Amino acid sequence: MSEAQPSINPTQSEMFCVNHPNVATGLRCNRCGNPICIKCAVRTPVGYRCKSCVKNQQAVFYTATPTDYVVAAIITLPVAVIGQFFGPMLWFFVIFAGPIVGGLVAELVYRANGKRRGQYTWLVVGACIVIGALPAIGIALLTFNLINLALHGIYLVLTTGAAVARLKFGK
Ligand SMILES: [Zn+2]
Ligand SMILES: [Zn+2]
């Protein structure tokens, strides 16, 4: 009754993904040389790589320590609190003040962190700017002044955008 099972006998030329032993592949990670399937391959500017190689590379690229994130928050929060109170008072000039303050915060954080890069520094700084803005925005909400609220909104968006852009995409 038993039918002959097709034997799984890969020829030497056939490779199987290191993470998925059932998936045949012709792809290798161009760093460690491990065979990887399409699911496991990460396309990088230098070719296909396995996830662990990409991860290792990022770990080298991002050198921030946990303290750096705390320092980033300590620097950002007071600037965000004060800036959100006074920035919108500049009326039209918020469109300049926002990006300047945002860029300045990013630069301060970057320098205070010893120019180390953190994978999540942009997130910490961005979140702290928004959190720091809450008291001033809360007060502005009580005034029900639409122009004032709009100025607060514009200032917040520009500051956050500039800081995040600088930390995420800057040199
Ligand atoms: Zn690899
Ligand atoms: Zn795979």
Side-chain angles (χ1 to χ4, degrees):
M1 284 295 285
S2 67
E3 285 174 39
Q5 292 288 322
S7 61
I8 298 164
N9 183 22
T11 60
Q12 282 192 327
S13 62
E14 261 185 311
M15 299 189 299
F16 291 89
C17 173
V18 286
N19 303 318
H20 305 98
N22 299 322
V23 182
T25 181
L27 214 59
R28 276 180 190 277
C29 167
N30 76 354
R31 191 160 179 269
C32 66
N34 279 338
I36 40 174
C37 72
I38 277 293
K39 262 189 192 170
C40 297
V42 181
R43 197 173 185 172
T44 74
V46 288
Y48 285 105
R49 292 203 166 162
C50 71
K51 276 172 187 157
S52 62
C53 281
V54 169
K55 217 174 174 183
N56 286 341
Q57 214 178 12
Q58 281 176 344
V60 172
F61 183 70
Y62 296 113
T63 49
T65 63
T67 322
D68 287 345
Y69 292 121
V70 178
V71 169
I74 290 171
I75 290 172
T76 309
L77 271 175
V79 178
V81 171
I82 296 164
Q84 191 69 39
F85 267 105
F86 294 105
M89 290 179 189
L90 299 168
W91 286 86
F92 171 75
F93 294 99
V94 287
I95 64 165
F96 303 112
I100 289 170
V101 173
L104 208 70
V105 166
E107 187 66 28
L108 276 173
V109 166
Y110 182 57
R111 281 167 192 260
N113 284 353
K115 300 193 175 178
R116 285 182 295 274
R117 291 167 150 281
Q119 196 168 2
Y120 305 109
T121 309
W122 66 273
L123 200 65
V124 171
V125 169
C128 285
I129 291 175
V130 173
I131 293 165
L134 293 179
I137 290 177
I139 291 167
L141 273 172
L142 296 175
T143 66
F144 279 115
N145 182 330
L146 282 181
I147 293 171
N148 193 25
L149 280 173
L151 287 168
H152 273 281
I154 293 166
Y155 176 83
L156 178 59
V157 167
L158 291 177
T159 311
T160 313
V164 166
R166 182 103 173 227
L167 289 165
K168 204 173 179 190
F169 308 112
K171 275 190 244 175

